[in-house]
Amino acid sequence: MSTSTADRLIESTRELLWERGYTGTSPKAIQQRAGAGQGSMYHHFTGKPDLALAAIRRTAEEMRAKAEEQFAGPGNAVERVTAYLRRERDVLKGCPVGRLTQDPDVMADPLLRAPVDETLAWLRGRLAEVLAEGRERGELDAALDPQATAATVVAVLQGGYVLARAADSVQPFDQAIGGVLGLLAAYVPTARA
């Protein structure tokens, strides 16, 4: 199956944004990685910002789809959150969406920032839904605040990436995930049948 030039340009931009950030992603580097000429790039996109927006949107959509696999999967609320947090990730590269929050050029542009903000807000909201569902079913203690807990889970996940990258080791990430799951386990009622 061959991919279109537009798809190759988007995929190349996604990779470069993750590796180098917005400023470090030049149109020439995108074209070289995509095996596309300048004319092809400007035929499909008005310029680097337009292409970056398409790449960020695709990354955000992919992240949501992967997360939804675990959130809508089998098991109780804690099992689904655990499946999400423990799924395979390229930890040392960081979160492809979360890393964009550290890119001043992306954050300064409302159009580029929007899919980043929307995705992180969706993630917090979706986690809160799963946790609220678990609370309603009696899987989690009524004292659990789904919104605050979801925000904590996302913060620990994103922070875990930062710690892992700083240490050049997945160990701090795994430790952070284990820690937040331990905190969540404290809300699982002990008198379960």
Side-chain angles (χ1 to χ4, degrees), residues 39-80:
S40 293
M41 182 175 149
Y42 290 102
H43 170 75
H44 295 287
F45 302 95
T46 58
K48 178 180 162 181
D50 185 39
L51 182 51
L53 181 59
I56 293 168
R57 282 184 177 150
R58 185 175 290 178
T59 297
E61 289 166 9
E62 185 179 282
M63 184 177 146
R64 288 182 193 195
K66 282 182 181 178
E68 187 58 31
E69 286 177 26
Q70 282 84 38
F71 296 149
N76 65 36
V78 174
E79 290 167 343
R80 289 182 284 150

Side-chain angles (χ1 to χ4, degrees), residues 162-177:
V162 171
L163 295 173
R165 287 176 54 79
D168 196 26
S169 167
V170 298
Q171 193 271 337
F173 179 89
D174 292 341
Q175 188 176 35
I177 297 305

Side-chain angles (χ1 to χ4, degrees), residues 38-187:
Q38 184 175 352
S40 293
M41 182 175 149
Y42 290 102
H43 170 75
H44 295 287
F45 302 95
T46 58
K48 178 180 162 181
D50 185 39
L51 182 51
L53 181 59
I56 293 168
R57 282 184 177 150
R58 185 175 290 178
T59 297
E61 289 166 9
E62 185 179 282
M63 184 177 146
R64 288 182 193 195
K66 282 182 181 178
E68 187 58 31
E69 286 177 26
Q70 282 84 38
F71 296 149
N76 65 36
V78 174
E79 290 167 343
R80 289 182 284 150
V81 171
T82 300
Y84 168 70
L85 292 173
R86 296 266 189 221
R87 79 166 191 236
E88 190 172 325
R89 302 166 190 274
D90 196 345
V91 172
L92 294 180
K93 282 182 78 176
C95 174
V97 172
R99 279 191 65 179
L100 293 171
T101 64
Q102 298 173 31
D103 191 316
D105 294 306
V106 172
M107 293 295 99
D109 184 323
L111 287 176
L112 296 177
R113 180 187 188 133
V116 174
D117 183 43
E118 290 163 9
T119 299
L120 293 173
W122 174 87
L123 183 57
R124 289 189 314 273
R126 191 64 182 96
L127 270 163
E129 288 172 9
V130 171
L131 294 168
E133 179 185 302
R135 192 176 67 177
E136 290 165 17
R137 291 181 177 174
E139 301 163 0
L140 293 164
D141 191 279
L144 178 122
D145 179 334
Q147 285 77 27
T149 304
T152 301
V153 169
V154 173
V156 169
L157 178 66
Q158 292 300 320
Y161 281 121
V162 171
L163 295 173
R165 287 176 54 79
D168 196 26
S169 167
V170 298
Q171 193 271 337
F173 179 89
D174 292 341
Q175 188 176 35
I177 297 305
V180 80
L181 289 173
L183 293 172
L184 190 57
Y187 285 95

